[in-house]
Amino acid sequence: MSGGRAGVGGATEGAGGVLVLGVHRSGTSAATRAINLLGVPLCRSDDLFGGDGNNSSGYWESRTLMQFNNELLSCMQANWRCPPTEVRMAAGHERRERAEAVRLLHWSHPSARWAWKDPRNCTLLPFWRRAIDVPLVAVTVLRHPDEVATSLASQRERFARDEALALWERNMRLLLRDASGMPMLVTRYDDLVGEPTRWAEEVGRFLARHGFDVQTRSAQLASFLDGGLRHHSAAGRTLAPGDGVTEEQVQLWETAQALAGVHEPFAAPPLPPESPTTGPLLEGNLLRPGRRRAEAWYRVLRRYGVVARRAGTPGLPPGAGGHQGRDADVAGVQRP
């Protein structure tokens, strides 16, 4: 594939990148692999983050860009467990970070057209939309908040239910707020795992309209999405206040569900305010001030090569660093 050529259905030019968006544990890994099976390249193989105890089938994302996103959050005194409500950096700082972001993106995704997912992009979408120098489309995956919370609670981080729902709420609000103007297909996780062939056909049609050369491979998709990927099901369950769920979260979930389908372009709907309890719950996941300062210094030293990247991380470009554990906010810095 190459930019500017005709795609399936006679589409020309079109997008260069597909952002797969969704909250942590929403099925974005499975969706990204499915899009890859449709023929859209992911990152280079020596940068692909494989599976672990939290996701044995693989994350299908760039380790380099995941680490870079962790660093962006760190420089804003935040992390993936407590994402900021705004992406704020001094103008000069953002210019430098955008230049580095483009360099790393081009290194990790050398194809003219590509797909990339990282749940941190729910928060960092404004930064990446300013940084990425090719047209973008988005495929968003919605999963029932109860399933997200149960999955987060079962991970090694052991999220409490109200904390997991708070993380879902903040990320979902930011995604819906900041995606305005992008062509976007909003899909349901239930359809992804329940009717993968139909899901793939819908995604394929959407991508073809934007210039991607797609090839529906139902047999491979059905094999990959064999139902074993779903460990927690709340299908058909109504989200209701109580048991850690707030009124605002119920309203947000109802709003998100109503958006399923194609948006050319997406327009942010009216959103309920964030739950009063969400900020305090998430702020408990921030490092102590002293550790945050140490983390910031570590980031500077690593960026300029004073701290070497971890051994065993193949093929990363100078300055990209390494990341062997998904849940460290910066490689080599552990949460207290």
Side-chain angles (χ1 to χ4, degrees):
M1 293 185 296
S2 61
R5 294 184 180 179
V8 174
T12 58
E13 297 298 335
V18 183
L19 295 181
V20 184
L21 301 175
V23 178
H24 296 274
R25 311 306 296 173
S26 288
T28 53
S29 296
T32 303
R33 176 54 173 159
I35 290 170
N36 178 228
L37 289 173
L38 288 171
V40 183
L42 305 182
C43 67
R44 50 194 291 168
S45 60
D46 59 356
D47 192 36
L48 192 65
F49 185 48
D52 62 12
N54 284 339
N55 192 340
S56 60
S57 61
Y59 291 98
W60 306 102
E61 65 184 81
S62 163
R63 289 180 296 174
T64 297
L65 297 182
M66 177 179 64
Q67 176 63 29
F68 181 78
N69 275 349
N70 279 332
E71 293 178 351
L72 284 180
L73 293 171
S74 173
C75 79
M76 290 182 280
Q77 303 294 298
N79 57 43
W80 75 270
R81 295 173 61 107
C82 183
T85 57
E86 301 285 346
V87 177
R88 291 177 179 170
M89 287 179 273
H93 182 196
E94 177 160 341
R95 282 195 299 271
R96 291 190 295 273
E97 296 293 354
R98 283 167 61 178
E100 180 73 351
V102 170
R103 183 181 77 85
L104 295 179
L105 179 67
H106 286 176
W107 178 87
S108 63
H109 293 73
S111 302
R113 287 181 175 150
W114 43 262
W116 173 39
K117 57 89 33 171
D118 184 343
R120 296 158 185 79
N121 286 341
C122 293
T123 302
L124 297 170
L125 189 57
F127 170 86
W128 282 105
R129 291 184 68 185
R130 292 190 291 266
I132 293 176
D133 53 356
V134 297
L136 298 171
V137 299
V139 175
T140 294
V141 185
L142 302 178
R143 189 178 186 184
H144 196 291
D146 276 335
E147 292 186 19
V148 172
T150 302
S151 184
L152 284 168
S154 69
Q155 289 191 356
R156 58 177 169 264
E157 293 85 12
R158 299 297 180 187
F159 278 81
R161 177 175 168 78
D162 56 355
E163 179 190 358
L165 289 166
L167 184 64
W168 170 85
E169 178 187 11
R170 176 161 293 179
N171 277 297
M172 181 56 64
R173 288 190 81 259
L174 296 177
L175 189 167
L176 297 180
R177 185 193 71 185
D178 295 332
S180 283
M182 296 179 66
M184 185 160 76
L185 172 62
V186 180
T187 71
R188 297 184 178 92
Y189 178 72
D190 286 347
D191 297 330
L192 171 63
V193 297
E195 299 183 75
T197 299
R198 192 169 76 174
W199 185 93
E201 289 172 349
E202 182 182 23
V203 173
R205 288 192 297 270
F206 173 73
L207 295 179
R209 286 198 298 273
H210 290 278
F212 290 86
D213 297 321
V214 296
Q215 301 173 6
T216 302
R217 302 173 184 174
S218 299
Q220 285 185 273
L221 286 168
S223 176
F224 177 69
L225 304 170
D226 62 359
L229 295 174
R230 182 174 217 150
H231 305 293
H232 313 287
S233 177
R237 186 188 307 170
T238 300
L239 191 70
D243 190 24
V245 180
T246 68
E247 293 276 3
E248 291 84 358
Q249 289 164 357
V250 172
Q251 294 173 33
L252 181 61
W253 176 233
E254 291 173 349
T255 298
Q257 289 185 93
L259 295 171
V262 176
H263 301 264
E264 302 273 11
F266 181 76
L271 298 172
E274 185 174 272
S275 302
T277 54
T278 288
L281 282 168
L282 297 181
E283 287 164 12
N285 291 318
L286 291 175
L287 296 175
R288 299 185 186 96
R291 293 299 295 272
R292 292 205 298 272
R293 287 193 293 272
E295 183 185 73
W297 274 110
Y298 185 92
R299 176 178 174 274
V300 171
L301 294 173
R302 195 189 63 81
R303 173 65 61 81
Y304 289 99
V306 178
V307 176
R309 69 173 182 262
R310 292 188 177 190
T313 303
L316 298 187
H323 186 67
Q324 301 298 311
R326 181 177 179 84
D327 306 305
D329 295 309
V330 170
V333 178
Q334 302 298 319
R335 292 194 306 273

